Amino acid sequence: MPRRRRPFRPLVRLALLVATWPRITLAVCLTITAVSAIESFRRLGLSADQNKLYSPTVPFFRDFLEYVRKFPENEALYVLIEARPDAPPPTLDRWTAAADAIAARLRQLDTRLRSVEHRVSLDQLGDQALLFDEPATVKRTVDETRQSAPLLRAVGEPAANATRVERVFGLLSGNLFGISLGDLGLGADPAESAPLSYELARSLRASLDGTPVLPDLMTVGAATPAALGYFWAPDESDLTRKRHLLLVRTTPRENYASLTGMSETVEAVRAAVRDAAAPFPEFTFGVTGRPALEADEMRTTDRDSTRAEIVALICVFVGLVVVLRSVWLALAAELALGVGVAWTCGWATLTLGELNLLSIVFFLALIGIGMDYLVQVLSRYRAEATRPNRHPRRHARQIWVAVFRQVGPSVTTACLGAAGAFLVSLFTDFRGAASLGLIAGGGLILCLIAGYTFLPALLTVVPLRASKHQTRVSTTPHPRHPVVTPSPSAGRPAVAPRRRDSTPSKLRTWIGPALWITLLLAGYGLAPRPNFNPNLLDLQAENLESVQLIRKLPTWSLVVLSNDLDALRAARAALASSPVVGRTESILSAHDNLAWLRDNAKLPEINWSTPHPVPPSSLPRIAAATANLAAVYERATPQTDDLRRAATELRAADKLLRTPADPARAASHVSEWEQGVVDRFRDLTKLFNPAAVDLTPLPGELKDHLVAADGTYALYLYPSQDLWRQENLIRFVETIEPALDKLPPDARAKLTLTGIAHNIYHSTTSIRASFYLATAFALGLIVLVVLIDLRHVGHTLLAVSVLALGLPMLVLLMGLFGIDWNFANFFGLPILIGAAHEYGVFMVHRYRESLADPRRGWPKWDVADSALLLCAFVTCSSFGFFALLASHKGLMSLGQVMALGSACIYLATVVVVRPILKWNLHRRASTPAPEGRQPIAHGVSRGTKNA
């Protein structure tokens, strides 16, 4: 009775199908490749929006997104203007001229920028100008105005014997009524009155020339651009707080449709700034802000990734040629990888529809991990296709059946484990990692499918050429039963003799494991431990302008949002005295200033009246007053720019008043100017008695900072310490949150705590927890997949033990080389577990082959060992070029961890696990088998024996 043929496994059936219909298989694969490439080109978008990297359903991130929507200044670009330390201090007008020039040039980029802001219009503030100033400045202004009562009376009240302009210039010179400058609140130094005199003389001269100009009393005596409404901020990187920056704020139009969209906008802004900055050599100019950081990071990572991927592909190709000793097999591997990448793009188009900043690096994962499966298939194919003549493999079907019987289970297990390590990120809230996990996990499976379909079909149609010492492979269909070479002597099928193995001694077997364990124990006692650095700024390239400048801005803050001013006031009261809070900003300051002014700003009573027309006969007296004041400034020492400018304008007005072309017309111009001066001084006194806080007339630059369009008020809490240091950030947030929670429940329910510091703190904490969870899930899933494959607990533990042996060595080397954990390389930990566990799986499968088939043996070095070495080379080189070529420190650290980790796990496999498995194999072979049992099959599953 004939022996019943055992059914083929699914992979063997697939191999037979592909080898039987190779051209049809190629046509189907290439058709799917073309469709995937076309659809991904048409529909697969690229999003550079970092706000899409985290789940919007998480409460803290949902609140942050709502805050950014209501207060879009958080997405602004900032142009920083700084005085050069090696140049003389710039004058105030040079500061303002530089900011005006930059703002004017940027407004020409209206297709790229939504708004450009560099100052708050003081005129638009009206009588509320003092309300939005610092409380100390408000009190000082009130005191100075009280002292200036004689000057106000000289301007506002009528006089019988002198025009008001005569009285003003006479008082400023100290020659009228015996009143000194100190009595006017201007100090004893004439230089202190020079700015007011300059402004009055400038406007008077312009009016006499026929151009009515009123003096700008709001900006008289301004010492810094802040007094003129410009964005003047302290340099946060200067601990002395002496250096200041002038800022120009611009909001880009959102352009996240491509990875270069925002980068092009930022570069256009930088080019415009360079053009406008040319006339101002005493300043340095730079661009930073969140969009600039994102654009620079995108450009850097894109350049580093492209460069590393190109070099990795070339290096992998060379490695394949050297180890496989065939250019054609190396090219076939690259073609199969290209097919897998195209299918992965189609998968990404079908599932997500767009790539983000993290998922775009899936190509590197396919090179470093997906290529390993193709290497295993090609290595075994080459061994089967080039067997010596005494073991001919004459048909493609026979070759591929043998290949997939030997490597199919191990490759499938390794792929499922690695894909699962990526896919477990779907269970985290980190959407960027989840997107990468979905695309890369599916991509690894698709690369495996390409290795099971496209690669065998290609090598069946165009097989490997055999050398003169090898049997040529035939691709013609073969009979159902394999061809067996008859024995020339006995007429029976020849059975290949068992391969000669190298029998290891006990001492030689345990040298490697003992040395490995000794190094681990000694290293952990002596080497430093790697720390965890959560600072996201440390992941970027150090030489980037945006990275260097961002520390100068007050970007870190907590923000309390509320529609109820009483609840907001209660929050400020609970937090203002906290040692971690340096200062606060909110609309509440305006209400506080209003209340203080109403209680304390009691100015002397002024009987404001309309001045009489100035007769032409008064012009000589007015000229004498201007000349007398000019002489006072000219005699003052030391001479300052303010004194010289005031004297120049006074002399010019004196000349026009002494020799007017038309005295009546000149007197009329002086009368108009005098009336304007009275109106301006009267308006100035109104600042001390505002009616109420009214948000309607506020300029957008100020209003949008304090209150959103829907009426949500913002309370900004700025830290007293540098939050770029993680311990300060933790202390800041963990002090503020409990303080708010202690408020009455009704008040706390009306408050929302958010802000950049709050979001960074919670997102980094959540991402770190997600990585731990993903690592645990990946490890558990890998153990389960390997156990299902091997169906033997001992063999499963041996396979995954390479992780337990290799990962501690990785940590040891990180400490020795000074490599810290961060959010880039820590994310690579589950990927490393998924990618490198395959070494143990392949090694245990090789061990089980020798158990199941005595002819396989296990020499010192065979095709399985070469394939494993090539896999380690591919993974280490693919990720290692990030460590060598990347300027982005996050990618560099990821490459370092992945390359070192893969090398450590591979070495643990060949130094520890391989000798133990070989020793156990020979121990079993030398053990007498019980009667009726085959010793070599002991402990091997039925599926393995059938293989």
Side-chain angles (χ1 to χ4, degrees), residues 344-574:
T344 305
C345 291
W347 165 253
T349 304
L350 184 65
T351 54
L352 295 177
E354 69 176 16
L355 300 176
N356 57 42
L357 293 172
L358 287 180
S359 59
I360 197 172
V361 301
F362 76 90
F363 185 44
L364 183 67
L366 300 189
I367 297 176
I369 304 174
M371 181 65 83
D372 290 356
Y373 315 137
L374 306 179
V375 165
Q376 290 289 329
V377 173
L378 287 172
S379 298
R380 195 60 64 127
Y381 167 79
R382 186 186 182 285
E384 294 294 333
T386 58
R387 278 179 177 269
N389 289 332
R390 64 179 182 272
H391 294 296
R393 295 281 185 173
R394 299 186 180 277
H395 301 288
R397 290 178 55 169
Q398 288 178 295
I399 293 175
W400 289 111
V401 166
V403 167
F404 284 107
R405 274 181 171 171
Q406 293 170 4
V407 303
S410 59
V411 170
T412 303
T413 300
C415 178
L416 292 179
F422 277 101
L423 293 173
V424 293
S425 60
L426 293 172
F427 300 102
T428 68
D429 293 322
F430 190 23
R431 289 178 60 186
S435 300
L436 175 61
L438 181 63
I439 296 174
L444 291 179
I445 296 175
L446 292 173
C447 282
L448 181 67
I449 295 175
Y452 284 172
T453 56
F454 175 81
L455 188 61
L458 179 65
L459 292 177
T460 300
V461 174
V462 186
L464 175 69
R465 289 187 177 183
S467 66
K468 62 181 181 180
H469 300 294
Q470 298 165 342
T471 303
R472 193 173 185 83
V473 179
S474 173
T475 59
T476 57
H478 65 280
R480 180 178 298 273
H481 299 289
V483 177
V484 180
T485 303
S487 171
S489 60
R492 295 182 179 181
V495 178
R498 178 171 178 152
R499 300 183 64 177
R500 181 176 298 176
D501 296 350
S502 57
T503 304
S505 65
K506 283 188 177 182
L507 178 60
R508 192 170 60 185
T509 297
W510 296 104
I511 286 178
L515 182 61
W516 189 270
I517 299 299
T518 301
L519 288 176
L520 283 179
L521 295 177
Y524 271 87
L526 301 175
R529 303 289 191 275
N531 299 315
F532 185 87
N533 180 11
N535 193 335
L536 298 178
L537 196 63
D538 289 343
L539 300 183
Q540 300 203 33
E542 294 178 340
N543 60 341
L544 295 178
E545 176 188 73
S546 58
V547 175
Q548 295 173 346
L549 295 180
I550 194 63
R551 296 180 183 272
K552 296 177 176 290
L553 290 178
T555 52
W556 291 86
S557 66
L558 283 175
V559 183
V560 182
L561 304 179
S562 180
N563 293 91
D564 190 324
L565 278 180
D566 292 333
L568 202 68
R569 190 178 296 277
R572 189 184 65 168

Side-chain angles (χ1 to χ4, degrees), residues 125-139 142 146 565 569 572 586-602 685-695 698:
L125 287 175
D127 62 355
Q128 299 187 98
L130 276 181
L131 299 183
F132 296 94
D133 216 332
E134 293 292 330
T137 304
V138 173
K139 296 176 182 178
V142 170
R146 284 174 180 161
L565 278 180
R569 190 178 296 277
R572 189 184 65 168
S586 70
I587 194 67
L588 296 175
S589 298
H591 288 275
D592 294 343
N593 286 336
L594 175 63
W596 188 90
L597 287 173
R598 288 178 175 175
D599 295 337
N600 300 280
K602 304 300 182 184
T685 61
K686 292 180 180 179
L687 297 177
F688 304 98
N689 189 28
V693 178
D694 185 8
L695 299 177
L698 294 184

Side-chain angles (χ1 to χ4, degrees), residues 76-82 102 106 109 113 246-250 252 262-263 265-274 277 284-296 299 543-553:
L77 275 172
Y78 288 90
V79 180
L80 276 61
I81 307 174
E82 298 181 80
I102 296 295
L106 291 179
L109 304 177
L113 304 177
L246 194 57
L247 307 178
V248 178
R249 186 174 66 205
T250 177
M262 186 57 68
S263 180
T265 297
V266 173
E267 289 307 310
V269 169
R270 285 176 172 148
V273 169
R274 285 194 296 270
T284 60
F285 300 82
V287 178
T288 188
R290 187 179 180 191
L293 287 171
E294 292 178 359
D296 288 344
R299 186 175 63 254
N543 60 341
L544 295 178
E545 176 188 73
S546 58
V547 175
Q548 295 173 346
L549 295 180
I550 194 63
R551 296 180 183 272
K552 296 177 176 290
L553 290 178

Side-chain angles (χ1 to χ4, degrees), residues 97-250:
D100 292 339
I102 296 295
R105 180 64 181 86
L106 291 179
R107 290 191 178 99
Q108 299 177 13
L109 304 177
D110 55 342
T111 59
R112 294 184 178 274
L113 304 177
R114 288 189 299 173
S115 64
V116 178
E117 303 162 345
H118 70 298
R119 65 174 300 192
V120 175
S121 174
L122 299 180
D123 292 337
Q124 195 171 347
L125 287 175
D127 62 355
Q128 299 187 98
L130 276 181
L131 299 183
F132 296 94
D133 216 332
E134 293 292 330
T137 304
V138 173
K139 296 176 182 178
R140 184 173 61 252
T141 303
V142 170
D143 292 338
E144 292 173 353
T145 305
R146 284 174 180 161
Q147 295 179 15
S148 302
L151 180 61
L152 295 175
R153 289 194 179 96
V155 173
E157 295 181 349
N161 300 322
T163 61
R164 302 192 187 187
V165 64
E166 290 178 70
R167 299 175 64 193
V168 169
F169 286 136
L171 284 172
L172 291 175
S173 64
N175 294 330
L176 194 64
F177 309 133
I179 297 176
S180 67
L181 296 176
D183 296 330
L184 298 179
L186 297 172
D189 187 356
E192 294 191 18
S193 65
L196 176 59
S197 300
Y198 166 78
E199 185 62 27
L200 293 173
R202 182 191 65 84
S203 60
L204 175 59
R205 181 186 58 80
S207 298
L208 289 171
D209 283 337
T211 305
V213 174
L214 294 179
D216 186 5
L217 300 180
M218 293 289 293
T219 61
V220 168
T224 66
L228 305 179
Y230 287 83
F231 297 162
W232 182 251
D235 185 346
E236 295 292 327
S237 64
D238 179 22
L239 299 180
T240 64
R241 296 288 178 146
K242 293 182 179 179
R243 292 199 305 265
H244 283 74
L245 314 167
L246 194 57
L247 307 178
V248 178
R249 186 174 66 205
T250 177

Side-chain angles (χ1 to χ4, degrees), residues 78 114 137 155 199 324 327 423 638 671 803 868 902 927 929 938:
Y78 288 90
R114 288 189 299 173
T137 304
V155 173
E199 185 62 27
L324 298 178
V327 175
L423 293 173
S671 297
L803 299 176
L868 195 64
S902 299
T927 301
H938 179 70

